[in-house]
Amino acid sequence: MKRIVRAAATVAAGAGAVLLVGGAGASAADGPGRGAVHVLVNGAFENRPGELVDIDVQGVRAGAAVTAHSPAFRGPVRLTPYGGRAPDAGQGHHARPAVAASARPGAYPLTVRVGGRTVAEDLVRVRAPRPPLFQVTDGGGALRPGERVGLWYDDLCPGERGTSYTVRSPVFPAPVRLVHDPRGSHWNNPRMFGASVALPLGAKDGTYKVTLTGPGGRALREARLVVRAARPGDGDYVGRARGPAFFTVPGTPERARTDGQRVGAGGTVNVLWRDASPDPGEDGRLTATSPAFETPVPLRRDDSKAGDGDDPRYYGPARIRRTLGPGAYPVTVVSHHGRVRKTGRLLVTGTGEGSATAERPGGAIRPAVSAADDRGGRAAEPAGGGGSGVPVAALAGAGGGVAGAAALGVVLVRRRRARAIG
């Protein structure tokens, strides 16, 4: 008498299909191979018509003709042998038949036969079909710029035969083609098409339409996607920005100040920004803007040794408009996809004033002045005067401070010699 031993069923939910592992075994005396015969039916928990059922039979000798039979299938299914010759190599017979399109919801018996003899049994459970479904994975809420979006289209319905589907949205960098992956988590559904796309780092907050198109560009389904960058107070916000601050040219970021920095119209000043936790991709996007600047200023990451041990810092030189009148002008830096905006004030003086800097002993920075300005008047003239001396500031403006001073000495000596000869 044949003895059938029913193994306990284990249900495990996977990323794609729900997994049911059942089993039936025949004794070694009854079976055609060594030991018990086992059948593992994967994906047999409430399959829809058209989905695949994975059948794996072990314990049948190699070369035997193994078939699976169930009213859920369109006919008998021939299993293919697999495995190596080594004693420890996995061996068995395998097939992935589809549930018949005409199958109604219910539990259907499955029998495994060898040479017309039943060696194992199990069940195939079938559920009702459903309409095509288009899904955009958003985690149940808003997505952040830079996050990946999962796109899925399931059209496992009678009569559906399309193979090319594309998803478009104003927030996507390009159209996204959906494909079926027979080795992916949805292997059991031959009509599941999917893809993923990363949102641009600079995506603006808003609600975007996502459109699925079929062959010929015909719109099939639509969905909505909400994009919202994290803000201070949100659980996933980690930005710790400081600035903008300013330091002189030449100068160092360590001497930057957030207020009271002066620069002359037509001069140059460095804009500094610090952030303990910059967003991914921030390095190439930070910019400082101001009505005082000739153009927006890209802020580049300071990767020098001087920046080691400090919060990530970014800076760049800003050229002040020559025609600018004196006053305090706003300088704005926007970061973290627009959710952080900070503004500082830069003091602009008259043309040429404060555009160069000098350091006092002890490190304090002050506007550089000419030798004449330090004495409160013009440069000294040679004996016998007549007002022919050349101001040091003028020479410095034409050729640089040191060169100008040297040129002044030459001019004065030549004038003295000319008077002595005459």
Side-chain angles (χ1 to χ4, degrees):
M1 178 178 176
K2 179 174 62 177
R3 292 184 294 110
I4 301 295
V5 181
R6 170 68 58 184
T10 303
V11 178
V18 177
L19 175 67
L20 172 65
V21 180
S27 68
D30 297 328
R34 295 183 178 180
V37 176
H38 296 279
V39 57
L40 303 177
V41 183
N42 300 333
F45 187 70
E46 294 189 348
N47 292 271
R48 289 180 291 154
E51 286 188 325
L52 306 182
V53 178
D54 188 282
I55 303 174
D56 186 17
V57 176
Q58 299 176 0
V60 178
R61 69 177 182 272
V66 182
T67 56
H69 304 260
S70 175
F73 305 146
R74 287 174 291 185
V77 179
R78 179 71 177 263
L79 276 66
T80 302
Y82 68 87
R85 296 183 178 180
D88 59 346
Q91 295 182 352
H93 292 73
H94 177 262
R96 280 185 175 178
V99 175
S102 59
R104 295 182 177 273
Y108 294 82
L110 170 71
T111 60
V112 178
R113 300 176 185 175
V114 177
R117 186 178 184 183
T118 298
V119 296
E121 295 177 343
D122 211 309
L123 292 175
V124 175
R125 302 180 186 274
V126 178
R127 59 176 171 166
R130 68 185 183 194
L133 178 64
F134 176 46
Q135 291 180 296
V136 179
T137 58
D138 57 5
L143 286 166
R144 304 303 191 203
E147 282 191 305
R148 297 199 73 85
V149 181
L151 306 169
W152 304 97
Y153 182 50
D154 178 357
D155 74 338
L156 188 66
C157 297
E160 297 293 342
R161 288 181 172 49
T163 58
S164 176
Y165 298 96
T166 304
V167 179
R168 292 175 171 83
S169 176
V171 75
F172 294 165
V176 183
R177 185 170 179 267
L178 305 187
V179 298
H180 174 66
D181 182 3
R183 298 184 178 181
S185 59
H186 293 277
W187 60 266
N188 64 316
N189 183 351
R191 300 296 305 167
M192 176 67 82
F193 303 88
S196 67
V197 58
L199 296 176
L201 293 171
K204 304 295 184 183
D205 288 5
T207 301
Y208 296 88
K209 182 169 70 172
V210 183
T211 304
L212 172 74
T213 60
R218 180 171 60 94
L220 302 176
R221 297 286 187 277
E222 286 186 356
R224 293 290 185 273
L225 181 65
V226 178
V227 178
R228 178 184 176 275
R231 292 171 172 78
D234 291 341
D236 59 344
Y237 175 75
V238 294
R240 299 291 183 270
R242 291 177 290 153
F246 312 97
F247 63 97
T248 57
V249 177
T252 61
E254 288 74 20
R255 296 189 177 277
R257 53 192 302 180
T258 57
D259 60 345
Q261 180 63 50
R262 296 175 179 270
V263 61
T268 303
V269 67
N270 276 312
V271 182
L272 175 67
W273 180 259
R274 288 187 175 95
D275 195 336
S277 301
D279 274 1
E282 193 96 273
D283 290 5
R285 296 182 292 106
L286 284 175
T287 303
T289 59
S290 173
F293 298 165
E294 289 184 350
T295 59
V297 179
L299 305 181
R300 304 305 184 195
R301 178 77 173 261
D302 179 12
D303 55 3
S304 66
K305 293 291 291 183
D308 289 352
D310 193 5
D311 288 343
R313 62 189 188 188
Y314 310 80
Y315 65 88
R319 184 73 174 178
I320 308 302
R321 291 162 44 200
R322 292 182 177 277
T323 58
L324 203 64
Y329 291 86
V331 177
T332 302
V333 177
V334 178
S335 68
H336 293 275
H337 309 296
R339 64 185 180 264
V340 174
R341 177 185 297 267
K342 291 180 177 290
T343 299
R345 296 280 172 177
L346 182 65
L347 301 180
V348 177
T349 61
T351 303
E353 298 179 23
S355 58
T357 60
E359 292 193 10
R360 294 181 183 275
I365 298 179
R366 65 178 179 85
V369 295
S370 67
D373 291 336
D374 266 352
R375 290 191 295 272
R378 299 175 65 85
E381 295 181 356
S388 58
V390 181
V392 172
L395 289 172
V402 176
L408 175 63
V410 174
V411 172
L412 295 180
V413 169
R414 287 182 176 175
R415 286 186 178 274
R416 289 196 186 98
R417 287 179 177 175
R419 288 181 179 274
I421 295 173

